[in-house]
Amino acid sequence: MNPELRRNLWLQFSILRLILPPAAIGIVLLLVWLVSAHSLTAVAASAEWFYLLIILLWGTRRAADLVAEEIAGGTWDSQRMSALGAWQMTWGKFIGGVSYVWYAAGIAFIARLWAIGLAGRLPWQGEAAVQSLQLLGIGLLGQAVAFLTSLVLLRKQVMRRRLGVTLSQFAGLAASAAASGHLDLGLLFRQMPVIDWFGWSFPGAEFALGTLGLFLAWSLFGSYRLMRIELQFRSIPWAWTAFALFMMVYAEGLLYTPLRKVADGLAAWLIGPFTIAIVLTYAALFLEPKDVVRYRGLWAALRAGHASRASTLLPQWLPVYLIAAALGVALTAVGGLSELTGVPSLVGSGLSVAEYAAAAGLRVLPVALVLYLLRDGLVVLYFNFGKRRGRADLAAFICLLLGYFPLIGILVSLGITALIPIVAPYPPASPLITVGAPLIECLILGVLVLNRTRAAGRFKAVAA
Amino acid sequence: MIAVQGLVFDYPGTRALDEVSFSLEAKTITALVGPNGAGKTTLLRCLAGLDTPFAGQVNVAGLDVLSEPRQSHRRMGFLADTFGLYDELSVEQCLLYRAAALGLPASEQAAAARLSARRLVLDDRYKQKVGTLSRGLRQRLAIAETIVHHPEVLLLDEPASGLDPEARIALAETLRHLRDEGMTIMVSSHILSELEDYSTHMLILRAGRLVDQRAVAAPSGGGAVVLRLAVNDVRFESLLKAESGIAGLIVEGLTSRFRFAGDDVARALLLRRLVEAGLPVADFAIERERLQEAYLTGVGETAVAP
C-alpha cells in the first residue's frame, strides 16, 4: 500500500469514527422519514443535502488543509525527504487525506440511492445516473481544486496558514459551484439541452459531466506537477502550456459556431485561442512565484549556454505569452479584429466597428494587446524583484487595476482620450500610437526590471 | 562520502553560501560550526536536497543530489532543527511509515522500525502515542525516524537543542555508535560543547564562506602527542626527528608536541624505543585538541589572512 495513504488512513480512522457517521446520518434520515409521512423523496433530498454539506464544506476544507497542516506541524520537510515519487505522494495524500470525509459522505450518498431506488426509480439508469455521477464529480473537483490551490499558495509562500487554507477552500467551492450549475458555466450547460462543440451536438448534461471529468483530471495533474516541484524534481515547466493549449481547443470548440456569425476566415479560428492565451498568461503571472534569484539563474544559464538547465528555470507564463504573441501577430496579419462584423463598440468611445476599422487601430490591436500584456508582466516582475516582496503581487494588481479603470475613466471624462494609449489599448488612435505607446513602456519597464535584477545580485555581507 | 563543489546559495540581495567546496570522508562525524546566520542550516538543506542552490554540485554517497533527489534520500537522513511528529500515531506507526516512505521493502520494514527504536532506546514506548512523549523522547524518536532506513549519511541540524544533560550524553553515545556502524555524520550547532564528545572533524562556516576544515581528533581517539622529560636531555629533539611517523614536531624545554601517524600499538613501540634509548620520559600522553580551541584557531587564521 502507498505509505502516504496508509499513514492518512491510520490518522483518519478509529472504531469510534467509523461508528459515528452512519449512526448520526441514520438517525436524522429516520427522523425525516417519520416527520414527512414516510416520504422517500424527502429522505433522498435530505440525504443529498447531507452529502453536499459533508463533501463540499468539510471536504474542501480538508483538501485545502492537507499540506498546510504538514507545514504547521513541522512534518513537511521530512515528507519531502522521503523517497516517494511525486504521483505516489499526490494521490496518497489526496485520497488518504479526504478518505474519512468520503466515508461519511458515502453513507449519505448510498442512503440517497437507496431512497431513490425504493421510490421506484433506478438510480443507475438515465438522468438519475447522470445526476449521481455529477454529485460525485463536483465533490471530487472541489476537493481537487482546493488541494491544487493550496499547493499553488505554498509555492508562493503564503505563510499565514488559515488564510491560505480559506483561500484554497474558497477556490474549491467555486469550482464545485461552477460544475454544479450554481455558476455560469455549469448553469449554461445544464440548462442547454444541446451543446455545440466544433459544430457537433452533445447533450448538455453529458457534456457538463465530460467537462467536469476533464477539469478534475487537469486539477489532479496540476497537483502532481506542483508536487514534483516541492519534491525537488527538476523538470521542464510545460504543464501550464499544455493546459493553455487544451483550453484553447476546448474554448474554440464552444466559440466555433458563434464566432462564425461575426468573423470570417482565419480570424475566426484565432480569436478564441488568442483570448485564452492572454487570460492564462495573466493567470500564470499572478499564480507563479517570481523569485528574482530564479530569474537570475535563468539568465546565467542562458548566458552559459546551459539549455537544459535554462529550460527547467523557465517561468510558466513565458511559453504561453509567446503563444499569445504568435497568435496576436497572426491575427494582425490576417486583418486583425477589423474582420469582426456586427459587434458593438469595444471601449465605450461611441465609435462603430466600421469607424474602428477605418481608423486602422483595430487591425493592429492584437499586437498592441500582446505588448500591453508584456508591459503588465513587467510591472508584476518589477514589484516582485523589489525589497518588499511580501505583497508584491497584490501591489502590482492594484497598480494595474487603477491604471485600467479609474484612470481611463478620468481621461475620458476630461476629454483627453489621446492619453489613453499610455494606459490601455485604444484602437481609435493611430496604429503607430496604438503599438508605439506600449512598446515604449515595455522598453522603460524592461530597463527598470533589469536594474532590479542586477541589484538583487549585488550582495551585502551575510548577517553573522 | 560527501563532496561539495562551488556551492552558491542566494536569497534576494544576500549570498547565504559563497563558493563552498569540501569533501568528507566516510565514517566520520563532522561538526558544522559557525556563528548564527553563517549558513549552516542552508548548507545542510542543500546537502539534503531540500533547497536548490544557485550554482554548484552536491554529491552524497555517489549520487548527484540535485539531479537525483529521491534516490539520494534513500541513502541519507536529515533531521531539521525544528521538526514535527504525528502526535496521533504510535511510535511504531511513525517508524513503519518512515521505513516505507524511505523505500525499504515491505518485508524489512517491521524489523527496521524495531531496530531503530532499540537503537534510540524507545523499545518500551513502542506502542505509545507520540503525543504523550516528553521532549527528550520526541527528539529520540525524530532521530530514530531519520535513521530507520540505515542511511549512509546522516545530517543533523541542532539535534541536541532542548535536551537535558542526560539526553545529550545519550545522544553523543548514539552518534558515536552510528559512526562505528559505518555512517558518515554531519552535525550542525553553534554550541561547541555539544559537539565536543563525538566530533572527529570540524567544518567552520562564517558569513557563507568555508573558513576552515580540519580534523579535531583521530577516529581512534588520537591527537597531538605530548612528551615531557623529567630532566633535560640534549638528544631529545634529534631522537624524535629520527623516528618515522612523527610530524609537526615542536620542542620547548622539557616538553615536545608532535603528531604521530600510528595506532595504539605503534605509539607503545615508540615510547619503548625512546625509553630504551635512555630518554628520561616523565609523561607521554595524547592531547586531544579541544573543539573550541580548534574553532578559535580556524577563525583566527582566517581573520589574519589577507
Side-chain angles (χ1 to χ4, degrees):
Chain A
M1 185 189 276
N2 180 325
E4 185 59 20
L5 175 66
R6 186 175 63 175
R7 181 187 66 81
N8 274 290
L9 294 180
W10 279 338
L11 285 169
Q12 299 281 313
F13 288 93
S14 66
I15 297 294
L16 182 65
R17 281 167 69 87
L18 279 170
I19 294 169
L20 204 60
I25 292 168
I27 288 168
V28 175
L29 291 183
L30 179 64
L31 184 67
V32 170
W33 186 66
L34 291 173
V35 298
S36 66
H38 301 181
S39 166
L40 289 169
T41 309
V43 171
S46 302
E48 186 173 322
W49 270 106
F50 255 123
Y51 168 81
L52 286 172
L53 283 175
I54 294 168
I55 215 69
L56 293 181
L57 292 184
W58 185 15
T60 52
R61 187 75 182 178
R62 271 297 303 151
D65 211 10
L66 290 176
V67 176
E69 70 183 9
E70 299 280 2
I71 293 166
T75 50
W76 186 231
D77 271 346
S78 74
Q79 289 226 319
R80 293 176 66 217
M81 279 297 293
S82 78
L84 295 179
W87 179 237
Q88 261 186 310
M89 184 67 88
T90 304
W91 78 260
K93 189 171 283 301
F94 180 66
I95 294 178
V98 295
S99 56
Y100 186 65
V101 175
W102 276 99
Y103 169 70
I107 289 164
F109 191 78
I110 289 167
R112 174 185 169 274
L113 292 182
W114 186 56
I116 289 173
L118 286 179
R121 290 167 67 202
L122 294 174
W124 55 86
Q125 283 185 358
E127 193 186 341
V130 173
Q131 279 177 353
S132 297
L133 286 173
Q134 192 109 23
L135 281 174
L136 291 173
I138 60 169
L140 277 172
L141 180 68
Q143 291 167 10
V145 169
F147 183 50
L148 173 69
T149 310
S150 73
L151 288 167
V152 169
L153 293 179
L154 171 64
R155 286 200 70 209
K156 287 171 69 70
Q157 294 183 318
V158 177
M159 297 309 286
R160 290 177 305 165
R161 177 173 173 245
R162 282 297 128 203
L163 179 61
V165 171
T166 303
L167 278 175
S168 305
Q169 184 184 20
F170 186 76
L173 286 172
S176 291
S180 65
H182 292 92
L183 284 182
D184 285 343
L185 194 63
L187 190 67
L188 186 72
F189 290 160
R190 290 184 79 183
Q191 286 192 345
M192 290 171 69
V194 174
I195 298 290
D196 184 322
W197 197 70
F198 282 115
W200 295 306
S201 296
F202 295 92
E206 278 82 349
F207 190 86
L209 197 58
T211 297
L212 193 155
L214 284 171
F215 280 94
L216 173 62
W218 272 110
S219 301
L220 292 174
F221 179 68
S223 301
Y224 157 69
R225 293 292 299 184
L226 289 170
M227 192 64 83
R228 274 183 67 87
I229 295 170
E230 279 302 311
L231 300 185
Q232 295 292 94
F233 285 98
R234 275 186 180 175
S235 49
I236 298 169
W238 53 266
W240 189 256
T241 309
F243 179 67
L245 293 173
F246 160 78
M247 283 301 294
M248 286 175 200
V249 174
Y250 177 80
E252 181 62 18
L254 294 173
L255 295 171
Y256 182 80
T257 302
L259 268 178
R260 269 142 198 83
K261 292 175 185 167
V262 295
D264 301 315
L266 265 177
W269 283 101
L270 295 172
I271 289 168
F274 177 59
T275 310
I276 292 290
I278 286 180
V279 170
L280 291 183
T281 303
Y282 273 115
L285 267 169
F286 282 101
L287 292 175
E288 246 192 320
K290 290 153 289 282
D291 181 1
V292 66
V293 175
R294 185 183 170 96
Y295 278 78
R296 282 183 51 239
L298 172 63
W299 181 241
L302 287 172
R303 282 203 309 181
H306 297 153
S308 64
R309 168 100 175 122
S311 64
T312 62
L313 293 170
L314 274 179
Q316 298 269 10
W317 64 267
L318 189 57
V320 186
Y321 174 77
L322 293 176
I323 292 171
L327 290 169
V329 170
L331 198 52
T332 291
V334 299
L337 300 184
S338 60
E339 291 292 308
L340 285 172
T341 55
V343 289
S345 60
L346 297 178
V347 196
S349 65
L351 292 174
S352 69
V353 170
E355 284 168 321
Y356 275 118
L362 216 54
R363 186 180 177 88
V364 295
L365 185 58
V367 170
L369 286 170
V370 167
L371 289 171
Y372 280 106
L373 174 58
L374 179 60
R375 180 205 62 179
D376 294 350
L378 290 169
V379 169
V380 175
L381 292 184
Y382 180 75
F383 276 95
N384 275 276
F385 289 1
K387 285 179 181 169
R388 293 187 172 186
R389 294 173 298 126
R391 306 250 182 224
D393 280 349
L394 184 63
F397 182 74
I398 291 170
C399 174
L400 292 173
L401 204 67
L402 289 174
Y404 275 110
F405 294 105
L407 198 53
I408 289 180
I410 291 167
L411 292 172
V412 171
S413 302
L414 294 174
I416 42 178
T417 53
L419 292 181
I420 289 179
I422 295 173
V423 186
Y426 188 62
S430 76
L432 194 63
I433 291 175
T434 305
V435 174
L439 186 62
I440 291 168
E441 289 176 55
C442 284
L443 291 173
I444 294 167
L445 278 161
V447 171
L448 292 174
V449 168
L450 200 63
N451 280 343
R452 284 208 157 172
T453 312
R454 283 181 179 151
R458 288 192 287 270
F459 300 108
K460 62 183 182 197
V462 180
Chain B
M1 183 55 74
I2 298 176
V4 174
Q5 189 62 45
L7 197 66
V8 176
F9 192 95
D10 288 349
Y11 297 106
T14 305
R15 179 149 285 185
L17 294 175
D18 191 0
E19 291 286 343
V20 172
S21 300
F22 63 88
S23 61
L24 300 183
E25 291 173 21
K27 301 182 186 180
T28 54
I29 302 181
T30 300
L32 176 60
V33 295
N36 287 330
K40 302 187 294 293
T41 296
T42 305
L43 174 59
L44 284 176
R45 291 179 65 84
C46 287
L47 293 182
L50 288 174
D51 287 339
T52 307
F54 183 79
Q57 290 186 321
V58 179
N59 195 290
V60 172
L63 290 169
D64 182 349
V65 173
L66 302 177
S67 59
E68 298 177 279
R70 311 316 281 170
Q71 289 88 336
S72 304
H73 291 164
R74 288 173 192 265
R75 303 175 71 171
M76 69 162 91
F78 170 63
L79 180 63
D81 54 346
T82 53
F83 61 88
L85 297 166
Y86 298 107
D87 288 349
E88 296 303 313
L89 296 184
S90 66
V91 170
E92 179 187 27
Q93 286 173 321
C94 281
L95 292 171
L96 285 173
Y97 165 64
R98 289 299 296 167
L102 286 161
L104 283 184
S107 58
E108 297 173 19
Q109 288 166 14
R114 182 62 82 172
L115 175 64
S116 195
R118 196 177 310 132
R119 276 172 162 174
L120 274 296
V121 201
L122 287 165
D123 312 51
D124 53 338
R125 314 277 181 166
Y126 207 51
K127 299 287 182 185
Q128 195 171 326
K129 280 268 178 74
V130 173
T132 64
L133 298 178
S134 67
R135 163 142 185 105
L137 288 171
R138 289 171 71 84
Q139 187 88 8
R140 271 150 61 178
L141 174 58
I143 296 171
E145 282 188 0
T146 310
I147 62 168
V148 70
H149 57 309
H150 200 75
E152 291 165 67
V153 171
L154 182 59
L155 307 169
L156 304 171
D157 194 1
E158 307 277 2
S161 62
L163 293 185
D164 58 37
E166 195 178 334
R168 287 184 187 200
I169 291 166
L171 174 67
E173 183 61 36
T174 303
L175 293 181
R176 275 195 298 267
H177 187 63
L178 292 174
R179 185 205 64 199
D180 292 343
E181 287 185 358
M183 277 188 205
T184 306
I185 303 170
M186 183 182 253
V187 187
S188 153
S189 178
H190 59 277
I191 303 169
L192 299 179
S193 57
E194 272 181 24
L195 305 162
E196 189 78 47
D197 293 338
Y198 48 78
S199 300
T200 61
H201 292 72
M202 182 172 63
L203 207 128
I204 306 173
L205 273 184
R206 193 176 188 188
R209 292 193 180 142
L210 182 62
V211 170
D212 192 20
Q213 180 183 10
R214 62 172 63 197
V216 290
S220 62
V225 176
V226 178
L227 193 155
R228 193 168 62 82
L229 299 183
V231 291
N232 202 0
D233 190 314
V234 291
R235 300 170 301 151
F236 189 18
E237 189 166 352
S238 59
L239 281 172
L240 288 172
K241 280 183 175 174
E243 287 288 340
S244 60
I246 286 181
L249 176 65
I250 299 169
V251 178
E252 291 173 341
L254 296 176
T255 304
S256 70
R257 280 189 176 79
F258 55 86
R259 290 192 302 279
F260 182 68
D263 57 12
D264 291 348
V265 175
R267 273 202 311 278
L269 290 172
L270 170 68
L271 176 60
R272 184 175 168 179
R273 284 194 297 276
L274 294 174
V275 171
E276 284 178 353
L279 273 182
V281 177
D283 273 331
F284 184 88
I286 303 290
E287 185 185 64
R288 193 173 186 277
E289 186 181 26
R290 293 186 66 79
L291 207 62
Q292 187 153 337
E293 290 159 8
Y295 175 69
L296 293 174
T297 306
V299 172
E301 283 169 1
T302 314
V304 295

